[in-house]
Amino acid sequence: MMSRIDWVRLDVTDSTNNYAKQHACAHNTAVLAAVQTQGKGRDGRAFLSQKGGMYLSLVRRDFRPLAQCAAYMLAAPLAVCDVLAEYGIEADIKWPNDVWVQGKKIAGVLVETEWRDGLVSCAVVGIGLNVSNDIADVPCRATSMLAEGVKADVFVVANSVAERFFDYVEQPLSALTAGVKKWLITLGKRVVLPDGRTAVAVDLAEDGRLIVEVTGERVAVAAGDVNLQE
Ligand code: BT5
């Protein structure tokens, strides 16, 4: 049975991930903010977080070894895709961490971890989902639940995402990988390797890395190491 979720609901904060880390939020806490003033993407990029969107950070303190950490990254987009499907929106996962609807980004995931004695002492899984927020200023092709014709309450959506995430994150990696593969649009696409060579994405490894084929050889690549060609 799923454990209880402790909710922290904020009108505004810089970043719900920062809030969760600074306040040392407990295991199974969900931090939800109506607005973020400095929403973070990966690698220092910004995530636009105007009123009407879902800005959610989910905290785990399960002391996992590195090999089990992919669960955090896999469970988040899976939870989002499931919830969108409940609202009749068919989404895809663009490896490693985006959720798209017909080529437009609707959600992104940022996982931040703290380590102790070789184990993840804390994982903060940040999920930003465009619900009814204005997306006109988003600097990429983006969409929202509202733009897809669905009116939804942010907290109801957040609650469904959190429940599913906390449920998925307990499942074995093999089940999570299989789940993600069903929504993954990246397979068959071209990626550029750090040495400039082009490869084709062919599979997803259980540790969340992408398996690519280059000159007949299969190699697993991590998110930071490759660029996806559009
Ligand atoms: C992400 O990074 O997509 C991860 C976003 C995680 C946001 C959540 S919100 C709750 C928690 N607290 C935080 O501070 N962060 C997490 P990345 O893959 O680096 O994508 C960033 C790129 O997405 C930007 O450079 C824009 O092109 C695009 N983008 C920015 N805002 C967007 C939005 N609202 N909707 C869709 N795309 C957006």
Side-chain angles (χ1 to χ4, degrees):
M1 206 187 70
M2 210 200 62
S3 25
R4 192 171 60 88
I5 301 173
D6 284 322
W7 283 91
V8 176
R9 294 182 63 177
L10 308 165
D11 290 333
V12 60
T13 189
D14 56 346
S15 148
T16 52
N17 271 31
N18 289 354
Y19 183 97
K21 289 191 292 180
Q22 282 158 8
H23 291 78
C25 290
H27 188 59
N28 286 346
T29 300
V31 181
L32 180 70
V35 170
Q36 293 185 127
T37 53
Q38 288 182 58
K40 298 188 291 185
R42 294 175 303 142
D43 302 326
R45 290 186 286 265
F47 192 82
L48 236 73
S49 308
Q50 288 170 311
K51 197 166 171 47
M54 185 200 82
Y55 314 111
L56 176 68
S57 293
L58 304 170
V59 180
R60 293 294 287 185
R61 294 183 180 276
D62 27 34
F63 290 88
R64 287 176 192 239
L66 178 63
Q68 294 292 318
C69 281
Y72 302 126
M73 192 58 149
L74 296 166
L78 258 182
V80 172
C81 284
D82 275 0
V83 171
L84 290 176
E86 275 176 7
Y87 284 92
I89 299 174
E90 218 177 289
D92 311 301
I93 298 175
K94 183 178 174 245
W95 184 86
N97 71 325
D98 279 359
V99 179
W100 283 24
V101 177
Q102 289 173 358
K104 296 177 186 164
K105 181 162 171 171
I106 195 165
V109 176
L110 170 70
V111 180
E112 295 184 285
T113 48
E114 289 165 15
W115 295 81
R116 201 189 307 154
D117 302 328
L119 300 172
V120 178
S121 51
C122 178
V124 177
V125 180
I127 306 174
L129 168 67
N130 298 323
V131 180
S132 61
N133 49 305
D134 188 359
I135 46 167
D137 293 334
V138 173
C140 69
R141 276 165 59 80
T143 190
S144 66
M145 292 179 74
L146 189 62
E148 298 302 321
V150 173
K151 279 192 185 153
D153 178 274
V154 174
F155 182 67
V156 173
V157 173
N159 197 50
S160 303
V161 169
E163 280 185 355
R164 284 180 183 273
F165 172 84
F166 286 128
D167 182 21
Y168 272 130
V169 86
E170 306 268 2
Q171 294 186 13
L173 276 184
S174 53
L176 294 177
T177 320
V180 166
K181 275 193 217 169
K182 282 196 222 139
W183 308 95
L184 199 63
I185 46 160
T186 309
L187 300 184
K189 299 267 162 55
R190 294 192 167 276
V191 302
V192 182
L193 302 179
D195 61 11
R197 285 187 299 168
T198 310
V200 178
V202 291
D203 205 355
L204 187 68
E206 274 195 10
D207 63 4
R209 286 187 299 169
L210 193 65
I211 299 181
V212 302
E213 206 166 77
V214 57
T215 53
E217 192 194 340
R218 286 184 164 217
V219 281
V221 293
D225 296 340
V226 291
N227 278 316
L228 290 179
Q229 285 190 334
E230 295 305 327

